[in-house]
């Protein structure tokens, strides 16, 4: 084989041709900003703006216009920051390739590949550039490029193209084109696209739709009442439209984008890269995690610790056969362990040459090689003892040795050799892959979070059970063979370990668990894990995963082990709690404002606050509720699930409590202070602002609201809100002024009421099982 390029020459070509990547297309900023004012939410405000202009209410029109611009700009800025964060994350989702540089095989970023580089490919790799094969055989999936679903075979001299997936085989080849110079003019998308679509967001929008239905009914009642009592139509329509606008979650896009961006950046700093922002929310609800053993629970640093030769053979004989059936280029951990031990023991291939090599395939569970020596071709296989036992025609029973070695937690392989069709057993290899030092603690932490962990492995039940016992996972081991015969969704839930797993079993386990209502997490590292990773709500590619597995996953760990999963779960649950606070606040305030203003209109025959002040109220509410996206939050101890009935039920009871304050304020303003309508409207507006602020702090904690310190942004936004609104109300800006002492007494009364209401809140949350 050619020695490959030198580092100096490769760097020179990289500077001339550029990196091996395709520039991404991004919509212009003006178009992204335009989309912020084009949709159902802004349309409602824009219709209101037109109506106010038609009726010559220019001040109200100005406020509505400012509200549209304010929310559009805030949402645009936060989305831009989120996309910048995702681009930075995706830059860290590097596809690594094996390249021959300076006569040495090196793992490097695929973007550094240049023409004439020698690249080695194996099963599960994405082809990084256009190449011509120089040795080996591959089965290539080019469906992403051609639309053809059937794999194609590629041998020496064949051309393969960037973006293809290696389904089977192993080969080396020379790069012929990179980046924009590839045959198809682009490479495949190497990481999953970040998606901001969210089940959580859809749930909240669904709730808001029901609130809008309530508002529509109230508006119909207001219009009928106005018609009966000959109240001016334009005034009634303007008020009714503002009533509807008060239910629209204007700040929702900005809140979700900011919350997701904050979560993604926090996860990235702690070793978890997300390719779908919605995965953060799914992690909060995860109830079961299927975890690989190798490289996740164990160190994935295999070491050959024992060999058991059959009668007539020595350990060196077994080791030499295993060496001939290993390939260093593949970087397979088992092959590397055999090669390393052989070198340390002074064992070499001698004069034997490998004429054919079939790397390990998880479907066949074995590696094969055809070795030529002295004119004789010998077939050598190494792999699962059960698989090898079925292949040999001459051997001795070794089940007891397999069981003994497996009971020590070793991974056991069998080696056989002989003429084609006449394989004879040579011996057993015992490889040690000890549990990671932090695995026991991490399993304990996941269990404390209410997540059931099931270890899945291709090892024997004895080996798997021993490892599981060492980390406190449990000792209930199931064989995948028996699970395949069970009723879907019943078997794996009774096991701590599923052993003897084939690739298709992982996909079935995920589907079966989802069938029972579980939110499933799945860890994986290989091409055959991709279907299960994509099927799971939380597909997690471990740190050493293949490119295909990482492309299928929704989260990628950058450090070995499971610690990143714990981080993802706790961060997801914190975001859930923030969005729960936003949702509760939105439902409560919508019910309070809509019911109060409509009922007060029926009782008094007057609009107890003006459309202008309702719009101003939206400003005041949005300014604070957006800060909930970065508020401090405590992760719940159990998986979070959205239960709409409990959520709306608890919100309704809390809204009733705030309605008591609203009608109490109306009574004081009319019967005690004897305010005229303009002064009453300012008083009601002030009450709605203050109760809105108080409600944010009330619902942000599932415990007493004083048991955690609010985030800095929330505190500052509240102070700013109160100062601005207090100044406007006392100075008569956009409203009739009220004395400062009246505003101060109202503030003090609402604070004291909030403390009492907090105890009522705990009862309501306990009743409806709104937990933190």
């Amino acid at each position: 084989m050619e020695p490959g390029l030198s580092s100096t020459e490769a760097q020179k070509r990289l500077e001339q041709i550029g990196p091996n990547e395709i520039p991404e297309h991004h919509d212009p900023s003006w178009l992204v900003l335009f989309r912020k004012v084009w949709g159902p939410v802004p349309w409602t405000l824009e219709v209101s703006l037109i109506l106010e202009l038609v009726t010559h209410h220019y001040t109200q029109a100005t406020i509505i216009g400012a509200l549209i611009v304010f929310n559009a700009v805030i949402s645009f800025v936060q989305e831009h920051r989120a996309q910048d964060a995702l681009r930075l994350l995706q830059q860290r989702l590097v596809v690594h390739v094996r390249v021959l540089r300076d006569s040495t095989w090196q793992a490097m970023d695929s973007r550094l590949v240049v023409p004439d580089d020698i690249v080695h490919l194996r099963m599960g790799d994405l082809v990084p550039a256009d190449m011509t094969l120089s040795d080996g055989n591959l089965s290539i999936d080019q469906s992403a490029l051609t639309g053809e679903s059937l794999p194609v075979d590629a041998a020496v001299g064949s051309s393969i193209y960037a973006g293809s997936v290696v389904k089977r085989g192993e080969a080396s080849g020379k790069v012929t084109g990179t980046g924009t110079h590839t045959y198809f003019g682009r490479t495949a998308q190497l990481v999953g696209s970040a998606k901001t679509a969210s089940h959580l967001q859809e749930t909240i929008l669904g709730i808001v739709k029901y609130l809008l239905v309530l508002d529509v009914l109230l508006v119909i009642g207001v219009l009928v009442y106005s018609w009966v009592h000959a109240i001016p139509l334009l005034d009634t329509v303007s008020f009714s439209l503002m009533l509807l606008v008060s239910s629209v979650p204007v700040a929702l896009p900005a809140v979700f984008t900011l919350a997701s961006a904050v979560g993604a950046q926090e996860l990235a700093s702690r070793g978890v890269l997300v390719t779908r922002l919605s995965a953060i929310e799914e992690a909060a609800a995860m109830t079961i995690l299927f975890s690989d053993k190798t490289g996740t629970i164990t160190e994935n640093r295999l070491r050959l610790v024992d060999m058991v030769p059959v009668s007539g053979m020595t350990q060196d004989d077994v080791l030499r056969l295993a060496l001939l059936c290993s390939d260093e280029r593949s970087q397979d951990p088992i092959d590397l362990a055999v090669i390393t031990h052989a070198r340390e023991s002074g064992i070499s291939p001698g004069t034997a040459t490998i004429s054919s090599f079939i790397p390990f395939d998880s479907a066949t569970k074995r590696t094969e090689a055809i070795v030529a020596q002295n004119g004789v071709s010998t077939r050598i296989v190494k792999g699962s003892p059960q698989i090898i036992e079925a292949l040999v025609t001459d051997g001795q029973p070794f089940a007891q040795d397999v069981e003994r070695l497996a009971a020590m937690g070793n991974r056991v392989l069998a080696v056989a050799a002989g003429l084609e069709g006449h394989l004879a057993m040579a011996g057993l290899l015992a490889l040690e892959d000890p549990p990671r030092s932090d695995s026991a603690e991490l399993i304990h932490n996941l269990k404390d979070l209410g997540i059931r962990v099931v270890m899945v492995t291709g090892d024997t039940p004895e080996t798997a059970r021993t490892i599981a016992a060492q980390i406190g996972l449990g000792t209930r081991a199931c064989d995948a063979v028996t699970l395949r015969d069970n009723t879907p969704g019943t078997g794996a839930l009774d096991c701590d370990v599923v052993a003897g797993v084939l690739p298709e079993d992982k996909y079935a386990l995920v589907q079966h668990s989802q069938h029972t209502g579980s939110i499933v997490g799945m860890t994986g590292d290989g091409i055959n894990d991709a279907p299960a990773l994509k099927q799971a709500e939380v597909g997690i590619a471990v740190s050493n995963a293949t490119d295909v597995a990482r492309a299928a996953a929704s989260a990628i760990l950058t450090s070995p082990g499971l610690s990143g999963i714990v981080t993802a779960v706790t961060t997801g649950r914190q975001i859930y709690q923030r969005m729960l606070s936003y949702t509760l606040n939105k439902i409560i305030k919508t019910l309070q404002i809509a019911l109060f203003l409509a009922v007060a209109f029926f009782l008094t025959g007057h609009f107890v606050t003006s459309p202008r002040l309702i719009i101003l109220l939206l400003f005041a509410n949005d300014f604070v509720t957006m800060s909930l996206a970065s508020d401090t939050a405590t992760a719940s101890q159990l998986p979070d699930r959205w239960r709409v009935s409990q959520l709306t039920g608890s919100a309704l009871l809390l809204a009733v409590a705030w309605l008591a304050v609203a009608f109490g304020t109306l009574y004081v303003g009319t019967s005690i202070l004897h305010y005229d309508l303009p002064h009453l409207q300012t008083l009601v507006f002030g009450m709605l602002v203050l109760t809105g602020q108080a409600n944010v702090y009330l619902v942000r904690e599932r415990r007493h609201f004083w048991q955690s310190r609010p985030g800095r942004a929330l505190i500052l936004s509240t102070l700013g809100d109160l100062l601005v609104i207090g100044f406007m109300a006392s100075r008569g800006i956009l409203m009739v002024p009220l004395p400062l002492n009246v505003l101060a007494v109202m503030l003090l009364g609402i604070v004291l009421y909030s403390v009492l209401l907090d105890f009522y809140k705990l009862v309501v949350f306990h009743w409806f099982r709104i937990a933190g």
Side-chain angles (χ1 to χ4, degrees):
M1 178 177 288
E2 300 180 40
L5 297 176
S6 65
S7 297
T8 304
E9 177 62 25
Q11 181 61 35
K12 185 185 301 181
R13 296 189 184 194
L14 186 64
E15 293 172 357
Q16 292 174 346
I17 302 173
N20 178 34
E21 61 184 1
I22 303 298
E24 294 184 14
H25 169 74
H26 299 290
D27 290 329
S29 296
W30 68 266
L31 181 59
V32 177
L33 182 59
F34 174 75
R35 290 173 181 154
K36 300 302 173 189
V37 296
W38 189 256
V41 171
W43 286 342
T44 308
L45 293 174
E46 287 155 8
V47 170
S48 304
L49 173 63
I50 294 171
L51 182 63
E52 298 299 342
L53 289 173
V54 169
T55 56
H56 306 292
H57 294 155
Y58 297 117
T59 301
Q60 293 171 201
T62 301
I63 297 174
I64 295 175
L67 182 62
I68 293 172
V69 173
F70 173 75
N71 282 286
V73 170
I74 291 295
S75 182
F76 171 78
V77 170
Q78 295 301 341
E79 183 174 313
H80 183 70
R81 290 178 178 175
Q83 293 303 322
D84 284 345
L86 286 173
R87 280 191 283 272
L88 289 174
L89 296 182
Q90 290 186 347
Q91 289 174 11
R92 294 179 59 184
L93 301 182
V94 176
V95 174
H96 287 96
V97 293
R98 292 166 290 279
V99 180
L100 189 62
R101 289 271 178 90
D102 301 316
S103 301
T104 304
W105 287 103
Q106 305 174 28
M108 64 177 59
D109 185 344
S110 65
R111 292 174 293 189
L112 303 179
V113 170
V114 296
D116 292 332
D117 262 329
I118 305 298
V119 174
H120 186 74
L121 300 172
R122 64 180 182 184
M123 184 176 70
D125 287 346
L126 285 173
V127 178
D130 287 0
M131 296 172 55
T132 299
L133 296 188
S134 54
D135 69 65
N137 295 276
L138 299 175
S139 178
I140 297 290
D141 178 2
Q142 298 183 145
S143 58
L145 306 176
T146 66
E148 176 58 51
S149 59
L150 295 176
V152 296
D153 294 329
V156 175
S158 299
S159 294
I160 58 176
Y161 304 109
S164 304
V165 178
V166 180
K167 301 292 288 185
R168 193 179 297 273
E170 197 159 349
S172 298
K174 179 181 287 188
V175 173
T176 58
T178 61
T180 55
H181 303 287
T182 56
Y183 180 78
F184 285 93
R186 62 178 179 82
T187 56
Q189 188 177 4
L190 301 182
V191 293
S193 298
K195 299 178 182 178
T196 54
S198 162
H199 294 304
L200 182 58
Q201 189 169 0
E202 291 173 2
T203 300
I204 296 178
L205 286 172
I207 295 172
V208 170
K209 288 178 182 177
Y210 289 109
L211 295 177
L212 283 172
V213 170
L214 172 64
D215 276 359
V216 168
L217 294 176
L218 292 174
V219 164
I220 292 173
V222 168
L223 292 173
V224 171
Y225 183 92
S226 299
W227 178 71
V228 171
H229 292 82
I231 296 175
L233 180 62
L234 283 178
D235 289 343
T236 303
V237 171
S238 178
F239 177 81
S240 300
L241 198 55
M242 291 304 99
L243 200 61
L244 289 174
V245 168
S246 67
S247 296
V248 176
V250 179
L252 183 62
V255 172
F256 267 92
T257 304
L258 178 58
S260 299
V262 169
Q265 290 173 326
E266 181 180 345
L267 286 173
S269 68
R270 299 174 66 182
V272 183
L273 305 182
V274 293
T275 60
R276 267 202 328 266
L277 291 181
S278 58
I280 302 175
E281 298 152 18
E282 301 287 7
M286 184 169 64
T287 56
I288 185 168
L289 173 69
F290 292 108
S291 173
D292 274 347
K293 177 181 76 70
T294 305
T296 305
I297 291 175
T298 63
E299 294 179 354
N300 198 23
R301 295 181 180 176
L302 290 173
R303 187 166 59 95
L304 187 57
V305 294
D306 198 2
M307 287 171 285
V308 180
V310 299
S311 178
M313 298 198 75
T314 66
Q315 287 190 345
D316 287 352
D317 293 333
V318 177
L319 182 56
R320 184 171 180 274
L321 289 172
L323 176 62
L324 290 169
C325 198
S326 302
D327 186 357
E328 188 172 13
R329 294 179 304 174
S330 69
Q331 297 292 293
D332 181 83
I334 294 176
D335 287 3
L336 292 178
V338 171
I339 293 169
T340 300
H341 193 81
R343 288 173 179 169
E344 293 173 350
S345 304
I347 302 298
S348 68
T351 60
T353 59
I354 301 174
S355 59
S356 174
F357 182 80
I358 302 176
F360 178 81
D361 188 332
S362 56
T364 62
K365 292 194 174 184
R366 66 176 183 266
T367 303
E368 298 189 29
I370 303 297
V371 177
Q373 186 172 20
N374 300 326
V376 179
S377 292
T378 304
R379 181 189 180 199
I380 306 172
V381 295
K382 78 173 190 294
S384 166
Q386 290 82 1
I387 299 297
I388 303 303
E389 183 180 26
L391 295 175
V392 300
T393 55
D394 181 20
Q396 62 189 47
F398 55 85
Q400 289 185 346
D401 289 320
V402 171
E403 188 173 344
R404 174 179 62 82
L405 295 171
M408 299 168 64
N410 296 319
R411 183 169 185 175
V412 184
L413 298 178
V415 180
L419 300 176
E420 186 68 35
H422 295 83
L423 289 177
M425 186 68 186
L428 300 175
L429 304 176
L431 296 102
E432 180 184 57
D433 184 15
R436 291 175 48 83
S437 59
D438 59 351
S439 288
E441 179 184 358
L442 292 169
I443 295 297
H444 176 74
N445 290 341
L446 287 169
K447 287 184 175 181
D448 280 350
L449 290 170
I451 298 173
R452 179 172 177 77
V453 183
V454 178
M455 186 172 75
V456 292
T457 176
D459 287 341
T460 63
E462 292 78 12
T463 300
R465 187 183 291 112
T466 301
I467 296 295
Q470 291 176 6
I471 60 174
L473 184 59
T475 57
R476 296 176 300 171
C478 300
D479 194 304
V481 175
T482 59
L483 286 182
R484 292 174 205 138
D485 300 328
N486 286 350
T487 302
T490 60
L493 300 181
D494 299 325
C495 305
D496 302 309
V497 175
V498 183
V501 170
L502 295 174
E504 57 268 24
D505 293 325
K506 296 180 181 180
Y507 181 78
L509 285 171
V510 171
Q511 275 197 320
H512 294 169
S513 296
Q514 290 172 331
H515 181 72
T516 64
S518 298
I519 304 297
V520 181
M522 176 75 207
T523 68
D525 61 356
I527 181 174
N528 291 305
D529 295 327
L533 290 172
K534 203 163 190 67
Q535 177 68 23
E537 283 87 353
V538 189
I540 304 164
V542 297
S543 58
N544 61 341
T546 62
D547 303 333
V548 175
R550 295 199 295 174
S554 53
I556 301 169
L557 307 183
T558 59
S559 302
L562 293 172
S563 59
I565 300 176
V566 176
T567 302
V569 170
T570 54
T571 301
R573 293 185 185 180
Q574 287 173 333
I575 291 176
Y576 169 88
Q577 292 299 325
R578 292 167 187 156
M579 298 319 301
L580 179 62
S581 297
Y582 173 86
T583 306
L584 280 169
N585 183 72
K586 184 62 184 175
I587 298 174
I588 292 169
K589 294 309 297 177
T590 298
L591 290 172
Q592 178 198 1
I593 293 172
L595 290 172
F596 170 66
L597 294 182
V599 174
F601 176 66
F602 299 146
L603 292 176
T604 65
H606 300 290
F607 302 127
V608 295
T609 196
S610 67
R612 176 190 305 173
L613 293 180
I614 294 177
I615 301 169
L616 196 59
L617 179 64
L618 291 180
F619 257 120
N621 283 345
D622 284 357
F623 187 61
V624 174
T625 54
M626 278 193 291
S627 63
L628 285 172
S630 57
D631 186 31
T632 55
T634 303
S636 54
Q637 281 299 111
L638 295 174
D640 293 315
R641 299 290 293 271
W642 283 91
R643 300 177 178 86
V644 176
S645 59
Q646 288 97 320
L647 196 61
T648 52
S650 60
L652 178 60
L653 291 183
L654 290 173
V656 168
W658 285 120
L659 280 171
V661 176
F663 284 108
T665 302
L666 182 63
Y667 174 78
V668 170
T670 54
S671 301
I672 298 178
L673 298 178
H674 303 291
Y675 278 163
D676 57 15
L677 182 59
H679 284 88
L680 182 64
Q681 289 179 334
T682 302
L683 182 71
V684 167
F685 168 72
M687 176 272 300
L688 291 176
V689 170
L690 292 176
T691 55
Q693 298 290 320
N695 190 67
V696 169
Y697 289 86
L698 183 75
V699 301
R700 64 171 293 275
E701 259 292 354
R702 313 306 158 238
R703 306 168 295 175
H704 288 298
F705 69 79
W706 55 81
Q707 287 188 261
S708 70
R709 184 180 181 274
R712 182 181 179 185
L714 180 58
I715 294 174
L716 292 178
S717 61
T718 295
L719 290 175
D721 207 38
L722 293 180
L723 288 174
V724 170
I725 296 301
F727 178 78
M728 293 176 68
S730 62
R731 295 285 179 169
I733 301 174
L734 300 179
M735 63 193 85
V736 172
L738 285 182
L740 266 178
N741 61 336
V742 173
L743 297 173
V745 169
M746 185 162 58
L747 173 62
L748 179 61
I750 289 174
V751 169
L752 294 175
Y753 183 81
S754 298
V755 174
L756 295 175
L757 187 57
D758 192 71
F759 290 91
Y760 170 71
K761 174 200 74 177
L762 293 184
V763 175
V764 171
F765 281 179
H766 177 72
W767 191 9
F768 286 98
R769 292 181 292 176
I770 306 295

